[in-house]
Amino acid sequence: MTRPTQHTETRPTDTLPTTMHAVVQRGYGGPEVLVDERIDVPSPGRGEVLLEVHAAGIDRGTWHLMTGTPQLVRLFLGWRGPRGDYVVGRDVAGRVVRVGEGVTRFGPGDLVFGSAQGSLAEYAVAAEAKLGRQPAGAEPTAAAVLAISGLTALHALDAARVGAGDRVLVTGASGGVGSYVVQLAVARGAVVTGVCSAAKADAVRSWGAARVLDYATTDPTEGDEQYDVVVDIAGGTDLRRLRRVLAPRGTIVFVGAETGGDWTGGLGRPMRWALRMLLARQRFVMLTAREKAPADLARLAQAVTDGVLRPPVHAVHPLEESRVAMTELDGGRVVGKLAIAVRPTA
C-alpha cells in the first residue's frame, strides 16, 4: 500500500543548515529567562523525525516549565535551571525534513502537527507517535495550537463518556483546554454550560455553549441545575460543592489547576478527591495527559476538516516576540490559545 503524502517537494537533507534560531530557557523565572540564540540543529533518533517548524503554540504548561513551578518540574529539568540548551515549546506544526530509523508513517515533505521537544525554534525533533497529519486546509498557526489542549479535552470527554443529551458543566471554559472541551462536547450533542469571565462569554457562546455563567457574579454550584458531567479545569471549586450539582451517577473530570502548594501545585487536591470518592456512586477521574496518541490526533484533525472544531487562536506572534507572548499569556486575557509564527510556509 502506498503511503499518502500531503506535499512531496522538499530540499535535499544535505542542504539543511547546521545551526538554527531558537528560544532557549536560561534558568527559571519570568519571560526574561527566555533568550534568542543560535544553537545546533538537532538530529532525529530512532522513531523520531526532524521538523522544519512553521508554527508553534504556547500554553500554561509552557509557562509552568519557564517559571519552574510547581517545583516538582525541577526534578526533571534541573534544580537551578534546565540542563543544556533547553528550547521552549511543545505544540508544533511543520514539515518533515528528515526521518530517523524505524519511522514508517511519515516521510520528507509531509505536513504534520503534534508535540515536539523545543518547538520555539526553526527545527525541532518529535516522536513519530506524537504526530498526526495536518487537517486539510488548516493554517499552520491553527494546526500548531491543536494537539496538546485538543488531546486533553478529547481524553476528558472520553473518560466521562460524554454523549448526546448529556448536560456538561465546564469550568475555565474560555481557556486553551476549555475551548476544545466546549466545542467537542457540543459536537457530540451535549448541552454545555460554560463558566468564565464576562469579557470572554461571547467567545464561549460562539463555540456552542447553551449557557454561559460569569464566575464573578454567579456560583455554578448554586441553584437546582444538575449535570451529568463536570469538567473542572479552573480547579478552584470545593469538591463538595461540585458534587452538589452532579447527577447521582455523574462524573467529575479533573483536568488541571493554577492553585496549590509550591511543590505539587494543584496535584494534591485531585488526589484527595479520588480517595474521598472511592465508595461514591458518582465517579471522579483525574486525567493523565497522553501525547502519544496518533489515532486521537487523527480524530482531532478530522473534526477540524469537518468544521465542527475551530482551533481558537487568540493572537499570533513572531518567534522573536516569544517573551511578549508569554507575558500576554500570564496576563489572563487570552481567549483560547496563543500561536507563534516561526517561518513562512510559501
Side-chain angles (χ1 to χ4, degrees):
M1 182 174 67
T2 302
R3 177 181 51 79
T5 61
Q6 293 170 285
H7 190 73
T8 57
E9 294 181 5
T10 185
R11 56 193 170 190
T13 56
D14 59 5
T15 66
L16 292 178
T18 58
T19 63
M20 65 179 183
H21 180 202
V23 178
V24 180
Q25 181 176 330
R26 300 299 184 190
Y28 297 117
E32 70 278 357
V33 303
L34 306 182
V35 182
D36 294 340
E37 295 187 8
R38 290 204 69 87
I39 62 173
D40 291 341
V41 172
S43 297
R46 181 174 181 82
E48 296 178 332
V49 304
L50 178 66
L51 300 179
E52 176 187 78
V53 178
H54 295 162
I58 60 173
D59 57 12
R60 294 301 297 185
T62 309
W63 184 88
H64 282 297
L65 293 172
M66 180 186 73
T67 59
T69 57
Q71 294 181 2
L72 184 64
V73 305
R74 304 187 184 202
L75 297 180
F76 303 96
L77 297 184
W79 186 250
R80 296 181 181 274
R83 305 177 188 92
D85 292 331
Y86 180 79
V87 182
V88 181
R90 295 185 301 154
D91 261 322
V92 70
R95 190 190 314 276
V96 176
V97 293
R98 188 174 290 169
V99 299
E101 183 181 355
V103 172
T104 60
R105 293 173 51 231
F106 304 112
D110 287 345
L111 296 175
V112 297
F113 78 104
S115 57
Q117 177 54 57
S119 60
L120 295 189
E122 292 177 309
Y123 294 90
V125 165
E128 179 186 25
K130 294 184 179 183
L131 297 173
R133 296 186 183 278
Q134 287 186 28
E139 291 291 328
T141 48
V145 301
L146 179 57
I148 294 176
S149 293
L151 284 175
T152 302
L154 188 64
H155 294 157
L157 296 174
D158 286 348
R161 305 164 193 158
V162 171
D166 284 342
R167 299 156 298 172
V168 180
L169 176 68
V170 183
T171 69
S174 63
V177 175
S179 59
Y180 287 109
V181 170
V182 172
Q183 294 184 72
L184 291 171
V186 170
R188 296 184 183 201
V191 180
V192 176
T193 297
V195 183
C196 63
S197 68
K200 302 176 181 180
D202 286 344
V204 177
R205 289 191 190 93
S206 75
W207 299 328
R211 190 166 63 131
V212 181
L213 305 178
D214 177 5
Y215 67 77
T217 60
T218 305
D219 185 344
T221 66
E222 295 292 338
D224 298 327
E225 186 76 22
Q226 283 205 318
Y227 302 94
D228 302 295
V229 175
V230 174
V231 181
D232 183 45
I233 304 169
T237 306
D238 183 75
L239 170 63
R240 290 168 294 184
R241 290 166 55 196
L242 289 178
R243 291 187 64 184
R244 180 183 175 279
V245 296
L246 188 66
R249 294 190 178 276
T251 301
I252 296 174
V253 182
F254 176 86
V255 176
E258 294 304 319
T259 59
D262 291 340
W263 268 94
T264 61
L267 294 178
R269 176 172 169 266
M271 291 178 182
R272 293 192 297 271
W273 284 19
L275 291 174
R276 292 177 188 177
M277 294 186 70
L278 283 175
L279 301 179
R281 289 188 300 168
Q282 296 168 320
R283 295 176 62 234
F284 174 74
V285 177
M286 186 169 64
L287 194 69
T288 301
R290 289 183 288 118
E291 295 180 9
K292 291 184 177 180
D296 292 334
L297 289 169
R299 291 166 65 191
L300 289 173
Q302 189 62 52
V304 174
T305 300
D306 292 343
V308 299
L309 181 63
R310 290 178 292 123
V313 180
H314 177 86
V316 179
H317 293 272
L319 184 61
E320 58 268 23
E321 291 183 7
S322 295
R323 282 178 287 187
V324 174
M326 292 298 291
T327 301
E328 184 176 11
L329 176 68
D330 192 39
R333 293 182 294 274
V334 173
V335 178
K337 303 277 291 186
L338 287 175
I340 302 295
V342 177
R343 68 168 74 222
T345 58

